[in-house]
Amino acid sequence: RPSIMALGKIKADTLEHSTAGSLDTQYVVQGSTKAWVRFDQAGPTVQQSLNIASVTDSSAGKFITNFASNFSGANDYNFTGMSQTGSGTAYCVTIQMDGTPATGTCPYEQVFNNNTFSDRICGVNNNGDLA
């Protein structure tokens, strides 16, 4: 007898927990991270990711994330980033956009306190609306 798989949808306006109250599902949809990556630029190697098709290592300390599913617009998402510290007195000051984002890609650079760029383990989270 062949197995039969039923496909369906779950439709709900709120999620309710037995003791912690309820939450509007629109908050979950809009407030969730839509793409993230932990990336060792020295490899370059993607260690873990969500909605990342690939990462392009463009030069020392600079990289581009390529999303598996595009965002709705180039200005319809934002990001937060982190980076591994450098050696000695060099430490990462910020991860910032390096150029213009697009719906399917976003360029970044890791800027260190001595105004240099360095390949380190880093991560970025992207929040916004997918197309």
Side-chain angles (χ1 to χ4, degrees), residues 5-131:
M5 178 189 281
L7 300 176
K9 294 180 182 180
I10 297 174
K11 293 184 179 185
D13 293 328
T14 59
L15 302 173
E16 187 173 320
H17 187 273
S18 60
T19 59
S22 62
L23 178 67
D24 187 315
T25 56
Q26 191 64 21
Y27 177 81
V28 175
V29 171
Q30 291 181 344
S32 300
T33 294
K34 302 303 189 307
W36 65 267
V37 64
R38 180 178 165 90
F39 175 65
D40 183 351
Q41 196 174 6
T45 307
V46 172
Q47 296 176 335
Q48 296 287 330
S49 69
L50 170 71
N51 191 29
I52 300 293
S54 64
V55 177
T56 304
D57 186 356
S58 50
S59 66
K62 298 183 179 196
F63 62 97
I64 300 167
T65 55
N66 303 291
F67 304 120
S69 295
N70 289 350
F71 282 87
S72 58
N75 297 314
D76 292 345
Y77 64 96
N78 63 17
F79 80 97
T80 57
M82 56 69 76
S83 179
Q84 178 188 44
T85 60
S87 60
T89 59
Y91 56 90
C92 186
V93 176
T94 186
I95 292 181
Q96 60 194 27
M97 282 191 188
D98 178 36
T100 304
T103 59
T105 63
C106 191
Y108 304 95
E109 59 187 10
Q110 299 181 74
V111 183
F112 281 71
N113 63 316
N114 55 0
N115 290 322
T116 62
F117 304 100
S118 183
D119 291 347
R120 299 281 188 238
I121 294 173
C122 61
V124 291
N125 297 324
N126 298 95
N127 300 308
D129 292 326
L130 294 178

